[in-house]
Amino acid sequence: MGIPGSGLAKGLAVTLRTMTRKSHTAQYPDAQPELPPRTRGVIGLFEENCTVCMLCARECPDWCIYIDSHKETVPPAAPGGRERSRNVLDRFAIDFALCMYCGICIEVCPFDALFWSPEFEYAEEDIRDLTHERDKLREWMWTVPAPPALDPRAEEPKEIAAARKAADKLAAAEAARAEAESGSDENGAAS
């Protein structure tokens, strides 16, 4: 058994020690915080990659993504081909008053149309203004940080290695053809 009141004395000692230290409070509006690289602030939309597949809206647990689209007929690419139809995005909106920032919409997007931006200063006085339409979401794309650099010691991706191999073969064939042509020109000039 300890001395009665020793816990209280230890607690007060910790309090007195911390009272004499300088605080590390950052004055927020004047000093911007240092955010970690993968901060979840707001979601940006890269509209060119959106195919209106609706996966993000379907998987959203809060149902805060609103997408409207229409079908458009595309003429055939070649004569004799058939017409195709494609979805055209009319409206893409996210209600940040409902969003819980889980990131499921970004993870399920198969075409990399949604990205996290570290921006967090988008407070509004009216809750209805927290529904950001596609033009506002497009503006957030400019604040999305570049992806981290690949590890220089990492193995080269198979796709890049295959493309490099094909490009090297093509360059070697071009060099051989150019050498053969220059050799035949020299033989013709010597005769």
Side-chain angles (χ1 to χ4, degrees):
M1 291 270 180
I3 303 172
S6 64
L8 178 64
K10 286 180 184 177
L12 287 172
V14 170
T15 303
L16 289 173
R17 256 195 328 261
T18 57
M19 281 177 55
T20 60
R21 293 184 193 153
K22 187 177 185 316
S23 67
H24 297 285
T25 305
Q27 300 301 322
Y28 164 62
D30 301 327
Q32 291 293 321
E34 289 290 324
L35 299 174
R38 297 184 63 183
T39 299
R40 293 181 176 189
V42 72
I43 298 170
L45 171 68
F46 190 54
E47 195 174 328
E48 287 78 14
N49 286 357
C50 185
T51 61
V52 197
C53 66
M54 305 276 200
L55 275 175
C56 54
R58 200 174 316 134
E59 296 296 325
C60 179
D62 289 335
W63 294 86
C64 64
I65 300 175
Y66 310 110
I67 301 174
D68 292 331
S69 68
H70 69 275
K71 290 212 181 270
E72 198 172 78
T73 304
V74 179
R82 66 184 180 109
E83 292 182 337
R84 306 278 180 173
S85 67
R86 67 180 180 110
N87 287 329
V88 177
L89 185 65
D90 291 330
R91 178 181 187 224
F92 194 105
I94 299 177
D95 187 353
F96 286 104
L98 295 176
C99 182
M100 65 180 187
Y101 304 92
C102 63
I104 293 174
C105 57
I106 295 169
E107 295 296 322
V108 300
C109 182
F111 302 104
D112 289 333
L114 297 173
F115 295 91
W116 281 118
S117 167
E119 293 296 319
F120 60 91
E121 296 174 318
Y122 54 93
E124 300 288 344
E125 291 194 21
D126 188 358
I127 197 167
R128 291 174 289 203
D129 294 335
L130 282 173
T131 301
H132 293 179
E133 296 293 333
R134 71 181 184 182
D135 57 336
K136 183 70 172 171
L137 296 173
R138 174 65 164 199
E139 289 176 25
W140 292 117
M141 272 306 295
W142 301 113
T143 63
V144 172
L150 297 177
D151 185 0
R153 299 170 307 218
E155 182 181 305
E156 185 176 47
K158 292 178 180 88
E159 296 86 359
I160 294 176
R164 188 181 320 283
K165 187 177 178 181
D168 290 344
K169 275 185 180 179
L170 183 63
E174 285 290 321
R177 185 180 60 79
E179 187 176 309
E181 285 179 2
S182 68
S184 64
D185 289 344
E186 289 175 8
N187 289 340
S191 319

